[in-house]
Every structure is written in structure tokens, then in C-alpha cells.
Amino acid sequence: MSVVHQLSPGWLLDHLSFINKINYQVHQHYELCCSKSEPTSSVHLDSLHMDSVSSFGSSATFTASDSTIKLENDDGRNYEMFIQKYVFRPELFNVTIPYITSAIHKECQQSNEKEDLINGVKKEISISTLGKKRKRCVVFNQGELDAMEYHIKIRELILDGSSQLIQEGFKSGFLHPLSEKWNKCSERITLPLDNCNLSELCEMAKHLPSLNEMELLTLQLMEDDVSVAEQDLFSQVVENNSSFTKMITLMGQKYLLPPKSRFLLSDISCMHPLLNCGKTYDVIVIDPPWQNKSVKRSKKYSYLSPLQIKQIPIPKLASPDCLVITWVTNRQKYLRFVKEELYPSWSVELVAEWHWVKITNSGEFVFPLDSPHKKPYEGLVLGRFREKTALPLRNADVKVVPIPDHKLIVSVPCTLHSHKPPLAEVLKDYVKPEGQYLELFARNLQPGWTSWGNEVLKFQHMDYFIVLEPRS
């Protein structure tokens, strides 16, 4: 379970626990007469067993250990099964102190007067420079003024709701006050190298010979599948239809595919395999690559214009009354775009606006709540797809709970860029049983979900997992 606490303001989530409830166990078979370093199964695909596992604290021990089981095949030959258990790197959720502390924030903070934030277009800011003070004039543009006004509107909801959930986290022991031990462990984490640029592979794949569009059916990986052609990963939806997690090798890099997960690795120009499946969804989560200054400067990943995002064929992917959720940055022009242009163009009716609040392991906001630059929260805009010729729900007896106008999702964020918290458990009350789930612009896979994007396997890379010491 990813939900640690549920109160009227929202939910306190454990993202790491959600990932690790899938216990990745690598199963590889070796003939006893052969060298252990030469597996008899394909290097492209191995099977991993899935079962439940609890979340591991930072004090757990992780070592490169293994275990073996001797088996006899149908032909009478003896085999040895080599098993390794993997968990997601816990240090990637080790956020012990805020990214910007309140003390630093206060040094450059502007007047706390709320009316000044809105009405004072020109202000004087006192800046400390080598013990002396000088004054300069700052002009807020309209976008910054709109952001300030919006922040004042939601500030109390964020503060009060988060405080209630954080207090519950302290009571249960999920959150811990900042200690000297934690403070020493808060140095910068060295992230794994991104050795496989998936978005560039998607560009290269456009030049590969492709199948006829009518032949682009789902590639289903069954229990006994041991290999898959790399070209097939780009030309069609890949589905791990087995009860085991699979390991695939793409351009020499290994990725884990959870059981009952489906994905399409492509960019927005090659979505037709997803559409050709003829499948529609009851929940569609969208995390668009919004343009901003830091993205343009870093050039680490591409972004889409609002017009391009508008072209996503949501009406062809959505079931009647589909719940559509779009992640939005704190730029007000994008929030207005989603509400006033994007959703109406998709025939999606706006129903709610929620917020994800990012905290440390010690219950502090990752950024000061009133920081004029970065905020410790992001928005989610929720809507329902309403067909022009309204059709009844597939099962008229199914009653779906109305969606509240505002809820908070509070969690410790992953240090990996844009690794959003899981939404399946917080949405289950608002979706019919056995609903179909789709995530667009995804960077990871989930059991029971279809995922699409040009970096859809990014956080499934083996570098983000470590071997767990087996228990006797």
C-alpha cells in the first residue's frame, strides 16, 4: 500500500513502498554441466517472480547476494535456478532537509505583506552583499503577479491540510524529526548514469522499416517467452501478459517490466500503435513536458507547445466518463490553458483541482511555502470525458463517488527529475472496479497500467535498483 494515512484533506503517500511492493526476483536457469557464467536462457529476456513486500527503511542492508535452487527439466537434465532479489534504491527517496532552508529564504525574502505582493509592482529588496546593503528595484511581470495571487488563494488549504497529514506521519513513525544522524546523511546523492537515451532511440526508430499499420498489434510476452526483437519494442505496444516480471535488453541496457503492464516506446508522432489496439481507458493521467526556462537552458529533454499537447487524441482513447488528470506546473498560463482551452477541446468537463505537496523525511516542505521562486507543490487538474452524444456507463449499476473539489497528496519526492507519486490507490474510489488505466508521457511502468512516452522505460532501468540480501 502506498497510502500511509488518509484524512479529510487528502493522503500521505509512501512512494518507495509502492515501488517495492513488487518484489523483483530475477530467475535465470543454468545447466549444471555448463559454466555458471553462461546462462542457457536468452540474454534478452529473463523472468522475475512477483509477490508482495513491505517498505524497507534506510537502515536495511543491501548487498550483492544470491541464492540457487536445483531443478530437473522434463528431459531429465538437471538445471540450477539462480535468483537475485532487487529493490528500488532507497537513497533516491532520502530527502532529509529542504532544498532551500527557511533561513536562506528569509535573507532574500520580500515583504511578507500579502497586499504588497499583489499591488506593489515595484519594490525595494534589501540584499546583503559582503556585509553592506544596497537596494535595487524589482519589477514583477504579469505572470509572477498571477502566481502570487493564486498562491494566496490556496495557501491556507496547502498549509492546514499538509500539517494534519504530517502530524499523523509523526504519530505513526513514518516521518521522523530531523536528527544529527540524518543531517550527516544528507549529502548530495550520485545518481546513476543515463547510459541509454530513450528519446534519441525513438528518433532513430522512425527510420527503421515498419510493419503495415494494420499489422501493428500488441506484442504479448507470455510465461515462456525468452527473447524479443529490439525493433518490436518501437513498432507496437508491448504487453507483459505473464504473472512474472520480465527483464528486457535494449541497446545493451537492461530494464524491468512489471507483470500485467503494457507500454509503447515512441514520441507524439508515432502514437498510432496505441490507437490501433482499439482499447479505451477509464483513467488517463497526463504529465506533459511543459516548456520552462530551466528546460530550455538544460536541453535535457524536449518539451511540447500547448498546441502540440492539444493534438493528443484523448477522445479516441477515453471511455465514457473517463477520469482525465493532467499534471500542471505552477505557471498560471498553463493552468488556465488546461482549464479553458485544453479540456474543452477534448470534451473534458473540469471537476476538481488537487495538489501534490512535497515534503522531507522530517516533515518540512522541500521549499519554503512562501518562496517567490519555487513552491513545494504542483497541481493536478481533474476532469471527466463527456461525449457529445452521451452514452450511459457500461454498467448502470456501478456508482462512482463524486470527486472532491480539492485534495492534497503529500509525499517525500524521489530525487529523480519528474518521478511523480503513484495515483492508483488515491483514485480507486472515483473509478469503477476493474477500470483500465493509461499514463501519457510516462517514465516508469506499473502493473495493470498502459504507459506511453519517449522515455517510458527510464525509471525501469536496472541502475535504479540494487540487489537485496536474501533472508534464510
Side-chain angles (χ1 to χ4, degrees), residues 248-284:
I248 62 169
T249 301
L250 177 61
M251 301 298 288
Q253 305 296 312
K254 292 186 176 182
Y255 301 89
L256 304 181
L257 309 184
K260 310 303 179 184
S261 64
R262 305 168 78 244
F263 73 91
L264 172 64
L265 176 61
S266 78
D267 64 19
I268 198 169
S269 67
C270 300
M271 292 187 71
H272 48 275
L274 190 63
L275 299 171
N276 289 345
C277 292
K279 195 178 182 73
T280 58
Y281 301 89
D282 302 291
V283 174
I284 300 178

Side-chain angles (χ1 to χ4, degrees), residues 169-227:
F170 281 127
K171 291 177 184 177
S172 65
F174 174 70
L175 299 175
H176 305 275
L178 184 63
S179 66
E180 186 178 344
K181 175 184 175 183
W182 278 37
N183 205 21
K184 289 180 180 178
C185 297
S186 60
E187 64 241 12
R188 183 174 294 276
I189 298 168
T190 302
L191 299 178
L193 294 175
D194 188 5
N195 294 316
C196 187
N197 193 320
L198 295 170
S199 57
E200 289 185 4
L201 287 180
C202 289
E203 280 295 319
M204 293 169 56
K206 294 178 184 179
H207 304 289
L208 297 174
S210 61
L211 300 173
N212 184 289
E213 281 199 13
M214 298 306 295
E215 298 175 350
L216 292 173
L217 303 176
T218 300
L219 173 63
Q220 295 190 348
L221 305 179
M222 308 305 291
E223 302 283 353
D224 54 350
D225 284 336
V226 294
S227 65

Side-chain angles (χ1 to χ4, degrees), residues 124-317:
E124 290 185 343
I125 300 179
S126 178
I127 301 178
S128 177
T129 308
L130 298 177
K132 298 181 180 180
K133 290 190 175 181
R134 60 185 175 86
K135 293 184 178 180
R136 65 182 174 89
C137 194
V138 173
V139 178
F140 293 109
N141 61 38
Q142 189 58 49
E144 291 169 327
L145 292 173
D146 290 344
M148 294 172 185
E149 185 175 6
Y150 177 78
H151 175 68
I152 291 170
K153 177 182 173 183
I154 66 169
R155 184 183 188 280
E156 294 307 314
L157 289 172
I158 299 288
L159 183 60
D160 295 344
S162 300
S163 297
Q164 293 181 46
L165 289 162
I166 289 169
Q167 286 305 312
E168 287 299 310
F170 281 127
K171 291 177 184 177
S172 65
F174 174 70
L175 299 175
H176 305 275
L178 184 63
S179 66
E180 186 178 344
K181 175 184 175 183
W182 278 37
N183 205 21
K184 289 180 180 178
C185 297
S186 60
E187 64 241 12
R188 183 174 294 276
I189 298 168
T190 302
L191 299 178
L193 294 175
D194 188 5
N195 294 316
C196 187
N197 193 320
L198 295 170
S199 57
E200 289 185 4
L201 287 180
C202 289
E203 280 295 319
M204 293 169 56
K206 294 178 184 179
H207 304 289
L208 297 174
S210 61
L211 300 173
N212 184 289
E213 281 199 13
M214 298 306 295
E215 298 175 350
L216 292 173
L217 303 176
T218 300
L219 173 63
Q220 295 190 348
L221 305 179
M222 308 305 291
E223 302 283 353
D224 54 350
D225 284 336
V226 294
S227 65
V228 59
E230 289 188 348
Q231 183 175 340
D232 290 340
L233 297 176
F234 299 100
S235 61
Q236 54 196 318
V237 175
V238 179
E239 178 177 356
N240 179 9
N241 201 34
S242 73
S243 56
F244 298 90
T245 298
K246 301 284 186 179
M247 184 192 299
I248 62 169
T249 301
L250 177 61
M251 301 298 288
Q253 305 296 312
K254 292 186 176 182
Y255 301 89
L256 304 181
L257 309 184
K260 310 303 179 184
S261 64
R262 305 168 78 244
F263 73 91
L264 172 64
L265 176 61
S266 78
D267 64 19
I268 198 169
S269 67
C270 300
M271 292 187 71
H272 48 275
L274 190 63
L275 299 171
N276 289 345
C277 292
K279 195 178 182 73
T280 58
Y281 301 89
D282 302 291
V283 174
I284 300 178
V285 177
I286 312 166
D287 187 11
W290 300 107
Q291 179 182 347
N292 59 52
K293 291 179 181 179
S294 62
V295 169
K296 291 182 72 173
R297 283 196 302 265
S298 67
K299 298 181 180 180
K300 287 184 178 179
Y301 66 91
S302 57
Y303 57 84
L304 296 181
S305 68
L307 181 60
Q308 290 173 304
I309 294 171
K310 213 171 180 178
Q311 303 306 311
I312 300 171
I314 293 299
K316 294 182 179 180
L317 296 167

Side-chain angles (χ1 to χ4, degrees), residues 8 15 23 31 57 70 103 159 161 187 251 254 258 339 358 371 392 429 471:
S8 57
H15 192 170
N23 187 15
E31 270 191 89
K70 292 185 178 180
L159 183 60
E187 64 241 12
M251 301 298 288
K254 292 186 176 182
K339 292 179 177 180
K358 294 172 269 190
S371 168
D429 291 338
R471 290 175 292 181

Side-chain angles (χ1 to χ4, degrees), residues 328-389:
V328 187
T329 68
N330 289 316
R331 294 192 69 178
Q332 291 305 291
K333 72 172 187 178
Y334 293 143
L335 184 59
R336 285 195 298 268
F337 167 72
V338 171
K339 292 179 177 180
E340 299 171 9
E341 293 185 49
L342 187 63
Y343 276 11
S345 72
W346 287 341
S347 299
V348 173
E349 176 189 346
L350 178 67
V351 295
E353 185 178 341
W354 293 1
H355 289 90
W356 171 35
V357 182
K358 294 172 269 190
I359 63 171
T360 68
N361 301 106
S362 56
E364 298 181 84
F365 294 126
V366 295
F367 293 106
L369 183 58
D370 296 317
S371 168
H373 305 293
K374 289 194 173 183
K375 296 290 191 290
Y377 56 79
E378 292 184 38
L380 302 86
V381 181
L382 291 77
R384 289 280 188 192
F385 175 65
R386 309 296 190 190
E387 290 182 306
K388 293 179 181 179
T389 55

Side-chain angles (χ1 to χ4, degrees), residues 7 27 33 41 48 55 59 65 81 117 124 142 193 213 229 234-235 241 286 303 342 355 409 467:
L7 301 175
H27 288 199
C33 62
S41 61
L48 293 79
S55 177
S59 61
S65 303
M81 186 178 354
L117 293 177
E124 290 185 343
Q142 189 58 49
L193 294 175
E213 281 199 13
F234 299 100
S235 61
N241 201 34
I286 312 166
Y303 57 84
L342 187 63
H355 289 90
I409 298 169
V467 180

Side-chain angles (χ1 to χ4, degrees), residues 38-58:
E38 299 175 356
T40 57
S41 61
S42 168
V43 297
H44 290 288
L45 206 77
D46 295 314
S47 292
L48 293 79
H49 182 64
M50 172 189 174
D51 54 35
S52 61
V53 66
S54 60
S55 177
F56 296 93
S58 58

